[in-house]
Amino acid sequence: LYGGICNKLQPGVYTFPGGVNIASDIYFEGTADQSGWDNETDVFIMKITTTLALASGIKVHLHNGALAKNIIWQATTTTSLQTNSHMEGVILTGTTATMYTYSSLSGRLFSQTAV
């Protein structure tokens, strides 16, 4: 599983030609220096052609100084965070954004149409 505990996502741009349904926990790996300071320059950009969905109970985890404010999720249509899920980052969505019961977000959520 790419982005799983054994293969964490590194800073960079990721492009997905279709919708993304995150069905298991994913991990973002920063590049904090040995003093433990967060690296403000670690940026993760997730470009998604259609929908972004985070399944029920699924979590996004930050490791080694990765910062929520430096993770950008760009979905051209809809975004949904299902029940008991947790997302990290800034979400830019084209039409609608839905957060279901007990879902949470460390970051921001912007929609061109409706939240």
Side-chain angles (χ1 to χ4, degrees):
L1 170 69
Y2 196 64
I5 188 70
C6 294
N7 194 9
K8 298 177 180 90
L9 293 167
Q10 303 298 314
V13 177
Y14 298 85
T15 303
F16 302 91
V20 170
N21 181 23
I22 303 170
S24 60
D25 287 9
I26 62 170
Y27 299 80
F28 287 88
E29 180 76 13
T31 58
D33 62 24
Q34 291 187 354
S35 67
W37 288 97
D38 297 339
N39 188 340
E40 295 280 336
T41 62
D42 288 342
V43 176
F44 306 82
I45 299 174
M46 318 304 277
K47 297 171 66 174
I48 303 163
T49 303
T50 58
T51 62
L52 168 62
L54 186 61
S56 292
I58 301 304
K59 311 279 188 252
V60 174
H61 303 274
L62 305 181
H63 282 246
N64 200 30
L67 301 172
K69 69 180 185 178
N70 290 348
I71 301 172
I72 310 300
W73 300 88
Q74 177 191 12
T76 60
T77 59
T78 63
T79 296
S80 67
L81 307 181
Q82 298 298 319
T83 304
N84 293 316
S85 63
H86 178 72
M87 176 65 87
E88 299 273 352
V90 178
I91 302 171
L92 310 171
T93 193
T95 56
T96 38
T98 306
M99 293 182 69
Y100 291 91
T101 307
Y102 302 116
S103 63
S104 60
L105 169 67
S106 292
R108 298 182 190 186
L109 176 58
F110 298 98
S111 173
Q112 289 181 326
T113 307
V115 176

